[in-house]
Amino acid sequence: KQEVTQIPAALSVPEGENLVLNCSFTDSAIYNLQWFRQDPGKGLTSLLLIQSSQREQTSGRLNASLDKSSGRSTLYIAASQPGDSATYLCAVTQTGANNLFFGTGTRLTVIP
Amino acid sequence: NAGVTQTPKFQVLKTGQSMTLQCAQDMNHEYMSWYRQDPGMGLRLIHYSVGAGITDQGEVPNGYNVSRSTTEDFPLRLLSAAPSQTSVYFCASSYNEGAAYEQYFGPGTRLTVT
């Protein structure tokens, strides 16, 4: 069964710092990988979706990379802001499956 | 566009009671799904639907029922609530069948079973 791991579970950084969040998965037969943001008490917002044939995707200050063969993805956040404070979740869609497999998330706090 | 809406936001049930969690989307999405989120665990799929009249089980379907009579609505029924069903429930939808497209999530329903 696909297992998705996110390390660290929590991260605290000063405003302005660049940071990297990590996601690893055990089965490389994936269709795509998505990064989500979840604010406390709220739903999930999709940030970036990387197809298995792609190496990276960028949106504003966010850049996500995918190395399917090693089972890893990273989410890079440039020039962090207090408004970036949230939990970041990664999820993979396995080939032939109809559901997402989620990690437990990294809770990010950006200190002003 | 309201996106994906869920009602109620909060609910407290006694063991053995039944209830329906509502989910609706106004984006004409074919694919809809229900997840539960528990502390220390990733979101887990309960049931999903690839179109009106078609549903299937996910990873943790026991104790839950679904139906899909319209494209817009995908209610989740708890048949006889148990404390183990205390969780936050999220409904999601996407443009095409399968989970391979960008998923849109609702705000969630926080359910407590006493």
Side-chain angles (χ1 to χ4, degrees):
Chain A
K1 180 194 160 191
Q2 178 76 266
E3 292 190 5
V4 181
T5 304
Q6 292 185 249
I7 295 173
L11 181 64
S12 188
V13 300
E15 182 177 1
E17 192 161 297
N18 302 327
L19 60 103
V20 173
L21 306 179
N22 297 296
C23 172
S24 61
F25 46 94
T26 55
D27 189 339
S28 62
I30 65 167
Y31 199 88
N32 61 32
L33 182 144
Q34 298 185 50
W35 282 94
F36 295 88
R37 170 187 172 132
Q38 185 176 26
D39 292 285
K42 300 287 176 66
L44 282 68
T45 301
S46 180
L47 298 173
L48 291 164
L49 183 151
I50 312 177
Q51 301 291 355
S52 62
S53 58
Q54 297 175 315
R55 296 285 293 184
E56 65 179 276
Q57 280 282 0
T58 298
S59 175
R61 294 182 294 108
L62 305 180
N63 176 277
S65 68
L66 174 65
D67 184 343
K68 200 173 78 155
S69 60
S70 69
R72 292 182 182 178
S73 175
T74 61
L75 179 66
Y76 174 83
I77 302 177
S80 59
Q81 303 170 357
D84 294 330
S85 297
T87 296
Y88 291 81
L89 300 164
C90 73
V92 299
T93 302
Q94 202 154 335
T95 306
N98 258 321
N99 60 301
L100 302 173
F101 292 89
F102 281 86
T104 51
T106 295
R107 188 172 69 251
L108 173 66
T109 303
V110 180
I111 303 164
Chain B
N1 247 0
V4 180
T5 58
Q6 291 183 239
T7 55
K9 284 188 169 33
F10 302 94
Q11 183 70 49
V12 179
L13 289 179
K14 289 187 177 3
T15 297
Q17 288 184 316
S18 62
M19 79 159 294
T20 299
L21 279 62
Q22 300 292 346
C23 173
Q25 51 88 12
D26 61 358
M27 297 174 282
N28 204 29
H29 284 172
E30 291 292 332
Y31 182 83
M32 296 186 74
S33 55
W34 278 101
Y35 288 86
R36 59 179 288 173
Q37 185 176 37
D38 301 295
M41 304 183 75
L43 278 78
R44 292 177 294 167
L45 182 69
I46 304 171
H47 285 286
Y48 66 93
S49 169
V50 299
I54 307 169
T55 63
D56 206 346
Q57 296 181 352
E59 184 183 353
V60 288
N62 292 341
Y64 307 96
N65 243 354
V66 291
S67 59
R68 183 101 177 266
S69 55
T70 67
T71 299
E72 294 78 21
D73 300 297
F74 190 43
L76 178 72
R77 280 183 287 278
L78 278 70
L79 309 172
S80 177
S84 61
Q85 293 178 305
T86 294
S87 187
V88 182
Y89 292 85
F90 289 101
C91 178
S93 73
S94 68
Y95 173 67
N96 211 333
E97 63 179 72
Y101 296 84
E102 183 179 356
Q103 300 286 308
Y104 294 80
F105 279 79
T109 294
R110 187 173 294 271
L111 175 68
T112 301
V113 182
T114 60

